[in-house]
């Protein structure tokens, strides 16, 4: 049986700012864009969350809820450099590391236990090394599969370590709310509530047929998760068929401009990971999940494979503007991905002319060099407003 770890850094961006400004330790800290330019919250530490502040919230609202907080702009290059250091720690214990974003990853340590001990011991060692070398805190879930490990890492935040033993899966899952199952949002939770289904234990004994009638093909998926079943493997990025990043919001978003700023942040993460792995792709995909659980995926295939932030952003925003269903916005999840890989050594052209291609390529190269060498945001794109995911479902 596999042993999977899900490592999730606690309030990553805000914790870095708190670490770098020790006099503010224990005080509310919020990281994000400008309140004057429709900026959104990228991260809030736990003292700020007590006031109701959460990621993807308009910064203006965050300032109203917690005016005494200390506000910091996003320093993405610094966060990326620290993330790189964290990934190096992971790879000391296993080559099977699947990053989900800058602040979380799945690790398959099934083949590492003769060298480093069982899952709990490896998780403890990783937490200790992150704490000692970077002065940051991680929460870790240890379980036989990704779904269980992800829920376990969130069970005792901050600074949690939860192990789900193979013979204790239902004991762990059954008391939890159905909302803890991936994909079940506010509207789906309300539908279950009307049926008298409040816990995973009650969901687990429902017939697959009924779930399929309620939620279509997703119904079978929900049934399997309620049983604690998830056969997805941990796939390192270099072996992945796609690289993607998606975020599930703490509350549904109905503002298109906020969705755009969040999408730009996701695009930059995906583009950076493409270049890091020397990959270029031809197909850009947008994923949207509404509050009623309906999920739509739209894609554009470009003429030549690309790893340029500008190309991917252009396509993703075009999909968001033009390809969504004609219905009111109430978005629970948004994601972006790139697939159709070709070697990074191949000559690429762009959605733009050759001169613009060279300009954007140089800009991406400079930003990547800054991230790896200096860890400071000496160059920032004007329309960049990042949003840290509140609940990461999947990324590859």
């Amino acid at each position: 049986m596999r042993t999977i770890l899900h490592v999730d850094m606690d309030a990553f961006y805000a914790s870095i700012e708190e670490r770098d400004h020790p006099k503010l330790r224990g005080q509310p800290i919020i990281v994000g864009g400008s309140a004057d330019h429709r900026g959104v919250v990228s991260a809030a530490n736990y003292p700020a969350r007590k006031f109701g502040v959460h990621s993807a919230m308009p910064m203006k609202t965050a300032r109203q809820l917690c005016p005494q907080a200390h506000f910091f702009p996003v320093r993405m290059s610094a966060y990326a450099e620290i993330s790189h250091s964290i990934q190096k720690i992971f790879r000391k214990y296993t080559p099977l590391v699947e990053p989900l974003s800058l602040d979380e990853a799945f690790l398959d340590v099934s083949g590492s236990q003769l060298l480093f001990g069982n899952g709990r011991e490896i998780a403890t060692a990783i937490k200790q090394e992150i704490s000692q070398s970077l002065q940051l805190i991680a929460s870790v879930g240890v379980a036989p599969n990704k779904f269980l490990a992800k829920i376990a890492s969130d069970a005792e935040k901050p600074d949690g370590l939860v192990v789900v033993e193979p013979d204790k899966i239902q004991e762990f899952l059954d008391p939890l709310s159905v909302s803890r199952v991936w994909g079940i949002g506010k509207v789906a939770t309300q539908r279950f509530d009307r049926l008298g289904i409040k816990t995973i234990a009650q969901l687990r004994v429902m017939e697959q047929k009924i779930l399929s009638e309620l939620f279509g093909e997703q119904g079978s998926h929900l049934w399997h998760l309620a049983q604690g079943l998830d056969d997805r493997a941990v796939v390192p990025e270099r072996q992945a068929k796609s690289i993607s990043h998606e975020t599930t919001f703490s509350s549904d978003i109905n503002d298109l401009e906020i969705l755009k700023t969040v999408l730009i942040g996701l695009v930059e993460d995906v583009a950076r990971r493409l270049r890091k792995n020397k990959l270029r792709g031809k197909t850009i995909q947008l994923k949207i999940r509404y509050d009623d659980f309906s999920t739509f995926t739209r894609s554009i295939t470009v003429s030549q494979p690309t790893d340029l932030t500008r190309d991917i952003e252009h396509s993703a925003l075009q999909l968001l503007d033009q390809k969504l269903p004609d219905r009111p916005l109430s978005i629970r999840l948004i994601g972006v991905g790139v697939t159709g890989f070709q070697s990074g050594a191949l000559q690429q052209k762009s959605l733009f002319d050759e001169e613009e291609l060279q300009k954007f390529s140089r800009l991406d190269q400079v930003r990547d060099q800054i991230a790896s060498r200096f860890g400071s945001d000496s160059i920032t794109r004007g329309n960049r407003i990042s949003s840290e995911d509140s609940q990461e479902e999947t990324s590859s």
Side-chain angles (χ1 to χ4, degrees):
M1 183 170 287
R2 293 183 299 179
T3 300
I4 307 298
L5 273 57
H6 180 258
V7 185
D8 193 3
M9 302 302 298
D10 295 330
F12 185 50
Y13 299 177
S15 293
I16 292 171
E17 301 301 343
E18 188 171 358
R19 182 200 69 178
D20 293 350
H21 301 84
K23 292 183 179 180
L24 302 183
R25 191 171 300 279
Q27 299 181 41
I29 291 176
I30 298 173
V31 178
S34 169
D36 298 329
H37 297 89
R38 301 184 68 87
V40 296
V41 173
S42 294
N45 68 353
Y46 288 91
R49 294 182 190 185
K50 292 179 180 179
F51 292 87
V53 179
H54 57 77
S55 61
M57 170 183 285
M59 186 64 78
K60 184 177 180 180
T61 304
R63 286 185 179 275
Q64 293 171 346
L65 291 172
C66 191
Q68 69 273 39
H70 301 275
F71 294 85
F72 291 89
V74 175
R75 296 188 297 139
M76 186 55 64
S77 296
Y79 308 151
E81 181 184 35
I82 294 168
S83 175
H84 179 69
S85 298
I86 293 170
Q87 304 259 344
K88 288 176 66 176
I89 293 173
F90 294 162
R91 289 182 173 85
K92 290 182 180 180
Y93 296 91
T94 176
L96 298 178
V97 177
E98 180 180 337
L100 299 178
S101 60
L102 291 180
D103 65 337
E104 64 177 320
F106 285 115
L107 289 69
D108 187 335
V109 298
S110 307
S112 306
Q113 298 182 72
L114 289 178
L115 286 173
F116 302 111
N118 61 31
R120 179 187 292 275
E121 291 168 334
I122 294 174
T124 299
I126 288 173
K127 281 171 59 68
Q128 289 177 345
E129 188 164 353
I130 290 173
S131 176
Q132 292 169 3
S133 63
L134 299 171
Q135 293 79 55
L136 295 171
I137 296 173
S139 291
V140 186
V142 184
N145 61 50
K146 285 182 169 181
F147 169 62
L148 294 169
K150 179 69 171 71
I151 292 183
S153 71
D154 196 47
E156 295 184 2
K157 275 182 166 289
D159 200 18
L161 173 53
V162 174
V163 179
V164 182
E165 301 291 352
D167 60 348
K168 301 278 182 70
I169 291 174
Q170 296 307 331
E171 181 181 326
F172 171 71
L173 283 179
D174 281 356
L176 301 178
S177 166
V178 292
S179 63
R180 300 297 299 276
V181 176
W182 285 350
I184 296 183
K186 181 173 64 176
V187 172
T189 300
Q190 291 172 350
R191 293 177 70 181
F192 279 122
D193 189 59
R194 290 193 292 270
L195 295 170
I197 306 298
K198 299 181 181 296
T199 67
I200 293 179
Q202 294 171 308
L203 174 61
R204 178 164 57 89
V205 298
M206 291 184 69
E207 295 183 14
Q208 286 194 60
K209 180 180 178 181
I210 295 175
L211 285 170
S212 296
E213 290 173 353
L214 286 170
F215 299 106
E217 61 184 30
Q218 289 287 339
S220 176
H221 176 66
L222 296 181
W223 185 89
H224 281 87
L225 292 182
Q227 317 303 312
L229 302 175
D230 179 14
D231 60 1
R232 295 172 307 147
V234 172
V235 181
E237 282 186 334
R238 289 183 180 276
Q239 300 175 18
K241 295 181 180 179
S242 68
I243 288 182
S244 62
H245 191 176
E246 62 188 40
T247 184
T248 303
F249 300 116
S250 299
S251 58
D252 299 329
I253 303 296
N254 55 20
D255 188 319
L256 182 61
E257 294 304 315
I258 289 178
L259 289 174
K260 287 181 178 179
T261 59
V262 172
L263 183 60
I264 290 170
L266 300 178
V267 164
E268 290 199 350
D269 177 82
V270 168
R272 176 186 55 80
R273 288 159 58 193
L274 285 170
R275 293 189 294 271
K276 176 183 174 183
N277 289 282
K278 296 181 173 57
L279 295 171
R280 289 172 176 159
K282 293 187 64 173
T283 302
I284 291 85
Q285 298 174 328
L286 174 71
K287 179 178 178 182
I288 290 286
R289 177 168 296 148
Y290 287 85
D291 58 2
D292 64 355
F293 201 68
S294 57
T295 303
F296 296 86
T297 301
R298 302 289 186 262
S299 65
I300 289 178
T301 298
V302 296
S303 59
Q304 294 292 331
T306 183
D307 62 2
L308 293 182
T309 302
R310 180 65 178 177
D311 283 4
I312 300 167
E313 179 185 310
H314 175 90
S315 295
L317 290 175
Q318 181 180 344
L319 290 168
L320 183 63
D321 278 330
Q322 302 176 12
K323 300 298 183 180
L324 292 188
D326 185 15
R327 55 180 291 181
L329 282 177
S330 187
I331 304 301
R332 172 172 169 76
L333 175 149
I334 188 169
V336 64
V338 176
T339 188
F341 293 148
Q342 294 186 22
S343 168
L346 293 176
Q347 182 179 4
Q348 83 170 6
K349 295 185 179 180
S350 176
L351 299 172
F352 305 90
D353 62 31
E354 195 67 25
E355 182 178 348
E356 285 182 311
L357 163 64
Q358 294 175 4
K359 179 180 70 174
F360 291 126
S361 180
R362 286 195 299 268
L363 176 59
D364 282 339
Q365 291 172 13
V366 169
R367 289 175 59 84
D368 291 346
Q369 289 170 2
I370 290 172
S372 63
R373 295 178 58 192
F374 302 111
S376 62
D377 241 353
S378 296
I379 298 178
T380 303
R381 289 166 53 221
N383 64 344
R384 174 64 172 92
I385 304 173
S386 172
S387 174
E388 184 186 60
D389 41 326
S390 54
Q391 295 178 346
E392 195 73 26
E393 285 193 3
T394 59
S395 184
S396 60

